[in-house]
Amino acid sequence: MSAKKTALTVLSAALLVPAMLVAPAHAAPTTPAPPADGKGQPGTAPAAPAPPVSMSTVGGSALGQPGTQVNLLPGAPALPANLTGRSWIVADAESGEVLAAHNAHWRLPPASTMKMLFADTVLPSLPKDQVHKVTDKDMDGVGPGSSLVGVKEDLEYTVHDLWLGVFLRSGNDAVHVLSAMNGGIEKTVKDMQAHAEELQALDTHVVSPDGYDAPDQVSSAYDLTLIARSGLQKQDFREYCGTAHAKFPGKQEDGKPRDYFEIQNTNRLMTGAGGISPYKGIAGVKNGNTTMAGSTFTGAAQQGNRKLLVTVMNPSTGGVNSVYEETAALFDWGFAAAGKVKPVGELVPPKGADTRPHGSPAAQPHENNASAAGEGSGGGGLGTALGVAGGALAILAGGAFVVNRRWPRGRRGRDEDVVH
């Protein structure tokens, strides 16, 4: 199947945020009481849990402090009002500077945002044109109530098909088949944990590759942002997370062409589903929602030459749309605040990254920098191929949002910078 069939057009609509008020550093937003959810009556809902007093300081000491961390310079816009996410972060995708954060290292259930780590770990090892016939054993362990794309036993799928199912429909069935192709669930979990440690995503503990609720399965807004930044180095990862609509293989009858059905990305900032306006410049990445995690989302967006990553975990109000609304508000703030805030931390490089001045990042499997961004675009050959016309953002498959990693000097995962 050609990847070009998955190209999309996303209409632009930006949310405005106040740009006049200045908030003090470490000011924590007010968190309203959660609504009744069937487990209690209005007015009797339990208090929201408090973040740990001490958290990891990977990326900077301020990121280990509870509450909101931001250093506004003169002329900087105030942070959006009424943010209710338990944890969130706004970071520059290229420089790695953290512009603002709230409980950045709070270890929380990640839901399907864990699939970003799954993809960043497994995607390079499976050729996209490889064909696999699904067996009953491949589907063992898919949890009840899981999100599914519709993979069926005894039918054949390409790896490309399955990754579309993972990213667009958050299909746990597709995750389990790809895990089987990778050597099984147990091996895949070990691979993911090892990769998280290489990325210095040390808040992350992997139990299931699909993000299905499991005891002790946790990550953090900081880690999810690190993982997304790593994934966006890969052309195929960018293609899949930046695809709004695609055709997925259906039933196969002897002597007849195979049926296909339409699937749509569950990222509402991309598709505009559920009454959410598509966000101008959105390029992915992954959303999630489970009973334990609530709603989670990591997004990447570009406006002008600025590329931002935002992660929001478990807003307490507003229903399923709140995670997108709060993400959009933080994107708006981040684009307006760029150059007007003092960073409160940084996204650290992987342990094995080349952090020497002008050092080139290690080559990524399945990456084609020339085709994705064009050689000679500066910054080591990684640029951005974006088409903007008539107020619409055209995301080109495989070349939408390319991050030029700028690893800080002298930081190779030094032990003194890491708190477990």
Side-chain angles (χ1 to χ4, degrees), residues 9-322:
T9 299
V10 179
L11 298 178
S12 300
L15 303 175
L16 299 178
V17 294
M20 297 180 291
L21 302 178
V22 177
H26 316 316
T30 302
T31 302
D37 61 359
K39 299 178 182 178
Q41 298 300 318
T44 63
V53 174
S54 178
M55 294 175 280
S56 167
T57 58
V58 172
S61 58
L63 299 180
Q65 300 178 27
T68 300
Q69 313 301 318
V70 64
N71 292 316
L72 301 175
L73 301 177
L79 283 166
N82 301 318
L83 294 174
T84 69
R86 289 186 181 178
S87 176
W88 54 259
I89 192 170
V90 183
D92 187 294
E94 291 202 332
S95 70
E97 293 177 344
V98 177
L99 307 185
H102 179 74
N103 301 326
H105 280 291
W106 193 356
R107 304 180 77 193
L108 297 167
S112 284
T113 49
M114 182 65 81
K115 291 181 172 76
M116 294 189 298
L117 178 60
F118 171 70
D120 195 38
T121 303
V122 176
L123 192 154
S125 65
L126 298 176
K128 65 194 305 181
D129 58 355
Q130 182 177 340
V131 177
H132 179 75
K133 187 173 183 178
V134 176
T135 68
D136 291 343
K137 186 177 180 180
D138 293 344
M139 304 287 277
D140 285 348
V142 176
S146 287
S147 52
L148 305 172
V149 66
V151 174
K152 301 298 183 184
E153 295 87 344
D154 299 322
L155 293 181
E156 292 183 341
Y157 300 87
T158 65
V159 167
H160 177 74
D161 295 329
L162 294 169
W163 283 120
L164 287 172
V166 170
F167 277 95
L168 273 67
R169 297 304 304 166
S170 205
N172 289 4
D173 47 357
V175 170
H176 277 250
V177 174
L178 288 164
S179 296
M181 297 174 68
N182 185 59
I185 295 293
E186 183 177 354
K187 176 183 179 297
T188 298
V189 167
K190 290 180 179 179
D191 290 348
M192 291 170 65
Q193 192 65 58
H195 188 52
E197 292 170 7
E198 164 61 22
L199 295 178
Q200 300 202 69
L202 303 181
D203 299 323
T204 299
H205 181 237
V206 185
V207 178
S208 65
D210 51 22
Y212 192 82
D213 281 341
D216 300 323
Q217 179 152 269
V218 291
S219 190
S220 67
Y222 182 88
D223 280 14
L224 293 174
T225 308
L226 274 186
I227 293 162
R229 191 182 188 215
S230 176
L232 289 166
Q233 311 306 316
K234 300 173 176 63
Q235 179 178 339
D236 288 347
F237 187 105
R238 295 193 303 272
E239 173 201 329
Y240 296 128
C241 79
T243 297
H245 304 272
K247 297 289 187 182
F248 193 81
K251 62 183 179 180
Q252 175 72 69
E253 296 183 8
D254 291 341
K256 295 183 179 180
R258 188 163 187 179
D259 288 340
Y260 286 81
F261 56 92
E262 184 87 8
I263 58 174
Q264 176 175 286
N265 202 311
T266 54
N267 175 356
R268 295 187 176 188
L269 286 185
M270 179 173 290
T271 64
I276 292 290
S277 296
Y279 191 80
K280 179 182 179 181
I282 194 71
V285 174
K286 191 73 189 72
N287 57 305
N289 189 292
T290 66
T291 301
M292 290 175 62
S295 295
T296 60
F297 182 64
T298 297
Q302 177 173 358
Q303 292 184 10
N305 293 324
R306 183 73 59 177
K307 304 167 190 175
L308 297 180
L309 287 164
V310 171
T311 296
V312 175
M313 301 186 76
N314 199 354
S316 62
T317 61
V320 70
N321 281 342
S322 60

Side-chain angles (χ1 to χ4, degrees), residues 323-334:
V323 75
Y324 302 108
E325 292 166 347
E326 295 190 18
T327 297
L330 286 168
F331 269 133
D332 283 345
W333 176 84

